[in-house]
Amino acid sequence: MTVRLEPWGEDDLPLLQALLGDPVMMEHLGGPEAPEKIVERHHRYLGFPACFKITLDGVGAGWVGYWEHDWQGELVYEMGWSVLPGFQGRGIAAEGTRLALEAARAGDGPRTVHAFPTPDNGPSNAICRKLGFTLLGEVEFEFPKGHFGTSNDWVYDLTATTGG
Ligand SMILES: CC(C)(COP(=O)(O)OP(=O)(O)OC[C@H]1O[C@@H](n2cnc3c(N)ncnc32)[C@H](O)[C@@H]1OP(=O)(O)O)[C@@H](O)C(=O)NCCC(=O)NCCS
């Protein structure tokens, strides 16, 4: 079983539709995204260097990405991830996220990565814990735009020599 990250591609719209258009998948993320928003997002991801398709043995299984975010007065990376139901529970999201942390570490952007899963998102919080993020506590977080709710604030230090 080989998990890899590939740049987001022209043919990856159906993958994004399956990830973001499914009410079960979006339970902790404010509900499914509207079809036209998913198309817009797909085009944004195409031009975005740190947005990856997670593949399992070459097959698209999910998405992981990071982007700059102004958080409490500091420029940090925010990281997010998502794996199709048929591929869940096999460590694919954790491995994809570990690879994304490596990519961020190799770059020259912010040295701090935050992730903001809701407290009831068991698998996502487990991934943060497993990869060596530190839980700072609960915060009010805006997602999707205009909607504020409680999230956990996890932080990962890219200058640390170990982790993940
Ligand atoms: C979060 C998500 C990406 C996890 O994908 P996945 O490939 O199943 O994740 P992994 O298999 O790598 O790891 C899941 C971990 O969570 C654990 N886990 C699963 N359900 C859990 C629960 N209810 N409570 C606590 N831990 C749980 C698993 O045991 C596993 O840890 P382990 O490897 O130490 O056993 C997937 O559920 C998803 O796409 N959800 C919808 C989108 C989303 O919520 N994204 C995150 C936004 S911050």
Side-chain angles (χ1 to χ4, degrees), residues 68-117:
E68 288 183 350
H69 182 96
D70 196 351
W71 179 243
Q72 297 177 336
E74 189 195 347
L75 190 65
V76 304
Y77 280 134
E78 180 184 345
M79 192 172 278
W81 47 80
S82 184
V83 163
L84 292 172
F87 290 87
Q88 289 177 9
R90 295 152 72 180
I92 295 172
E95 179 61 7
T97 303
R98 193 188 66 75
L99 292 170
L101 288 168
E102 272 185 17
R105 187 182 286 116
D108 57 3
R111 296 294 84 193
T112 303
V113 180
H114 287 247
F116 298 98

Side-chain angles (χ1 to χ4, degrees), residues 90-162:
R90 295 152 72 180
I92 295 172
E95 179 61 7
T97 303
R98 193 188 66 75
L99 292 170
L101 288 168
E102 272 185 17
R105 187 182 286 116
D108 57 3
R111 296 294 84 193
T112 303
V113 180
H114 287 247
F116 298 98
T118 54
D120 60 348
N121 190 338
S124 226
N125 284 292
I127 288 168
C128 291
R129 196 170 295 114
K130 198 160 113 173
L131 292 182
F133 283 72
T134 301
L135 180 59
L136 297 179
E138 292 188 354
V139 290
E140 279 305 290
F141 191 71
E142 184 181 15
F143 190 89
K145 210 170 171 51
H147 173 268
F148 286 85
T150 303
S151 285
N152 277 336
D153 181 6
W154 289 91
V155 67
Y156 185 93
D157 175 7
L158 290 170
T159 64
T161 47
T162 56

